[in-house]
């Protein structure tokens, strides 16, 4: 899971599939303790949580993450609601895909999906649930995301999708 928020979705996945190996990445350092508390209260110990920004290419650097007045809208992209910015370590999405080999990706990163997914090799991923932020990303970036998905044989399931969540 990339863009954990409060950890509810990965927590539910861990409860439903207790033997699953789940790795989660949340950029907002202010949320990490709350996510860990949610996992502890619910006796969830199978999630490997990281405070990091997933990027294409080389990780190991730091990047600005913009804290928003609404925790759910924190982003790599500064907006009118940005309160301040913090530096967060980056990790390579290619290394995650190569080493951890997730077969399902859940992504909700407030416009960062264009930078993360455009031209990314998603081979080996059998399912992607993505919140697309069409008010933030361009139509051209949206098309690049769909092309990266199609290249890996991932096509939207209209019966499982909504206007901004693509499954």
């Amino acid at each position: 899971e990339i863009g954990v928020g409060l950890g509810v979705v990965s927590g539910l996945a861990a409860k439903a599939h207790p033997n699953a190996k789940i790795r989660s990445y949340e950029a907002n350092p202010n949320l990490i303790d709350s996510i860990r508390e949610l996992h502890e209260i619910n006796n969830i110990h199978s999630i490997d949580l990281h405070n990091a920004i997933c990027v294409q290419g080389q990780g190991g650097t730091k990047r600005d993450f913009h804290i928003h007045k609404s925790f759910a809208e924190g982003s790599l992209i500064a907006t009118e609601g940005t309160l301040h910015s913090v530096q967060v370590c980056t990790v390579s999405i290619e290394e995650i895909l190569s080493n951890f080999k997730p077969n399902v990706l859940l992504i909700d990163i407030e416009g960062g999906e264009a930078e993360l997914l455009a031209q990314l090799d998603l081979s080996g991923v059998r399912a992607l649930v993505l919140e697309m932020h069409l008010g933030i990303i361009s139509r051209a970036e949206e098309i690049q995301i769909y092309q990266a998905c199609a290249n890996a044989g991932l096509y939207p399931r209209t019966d499982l999708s909504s206007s901004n969540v693509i499954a």
Side-chain angles (χ1 to χ4, degrees):
E1 180 180 30
I2 303 172
V4 178
L6 293 177
V8 174
V9 174
S10 55
L12 289 169
K15 288 301 243 184
H17 303 280
N19 295 322
K21 294 177 184 174
I22 300 173
R23 190 174 288 176
S24 296
Y25 297 87
E26 174 54 52
N28 188 338
N30 301 331
L31 297 179
I32 299 301
D33 287 342
S34 296
I35 296 166
R36 287 194 173 119
E37 182 180 358
L38 176 106
H39 293 165
E40 188 63 35
I41 288 169
N42 290 285
N43 198 31
I44 298 169
H45 303 287
S46 60
I47 299 176
D48 183 14
L49 176 64
H50 299 263
N51 178 207
I53 296 170
C54 295
V55 296
Q56 282 198 39
Q58 185 72 30
T61 61
K62 291 200 174 200
R63 236 167 111 207
D64 281 337
F65 180 78
H66 305 286
I67 306 294
H68 194 275
K69 59 186 172 187
S70 166
F71 80 87
E73 295 181 37
S75 177
L76 297 175
I77 302 163
T79 64
E80 288 180 20
T82 297
L83 299 175
H84 64 279
S85 300
V86 295
Q87 289 277 296
V88 178
C89 288
T90 62
V91 295
S92 166
I93 186 66
E94 291 91 350
E95 288 182 20
I96 294 166
L97 293 173
S98 175
N99 299 331
F100 184 65
K101 300 184 184 340
N103 59 2
V104 176
L105 289 177
L106 305 173
I107 302 174
D108 180 5
I109 52 176
E110 304 306 310
E113 63 271 14
E115 180 182 329
L116 183 67
L117 294 174
Q119 292 136 22
L120 182 65
D121 181 1
L122 293 167
S123 301
V125 175
R126 72 170 177 80
L128 170 67
V129 179
L130 169 67
E131 183 168 352
M132 194 100 74
H133 298 85
L134 301 176
I136 298 174
I137 68 172
S138 71
R139 178 71 174 137
E141 290 169 324
E142 177 188 2
I143 291 167
Q144 287 181 326
I145 291 169
Y146 279 117
Q147 187 60 53
C149 292
N151 290 344
L154 299 170
Y155 297 96
R157 292 269 316 262
T158 55
D159 58 321
L160 300 175
S161 300
S162 68
S163 61
N164 64 330
V165 176
I166 295 94

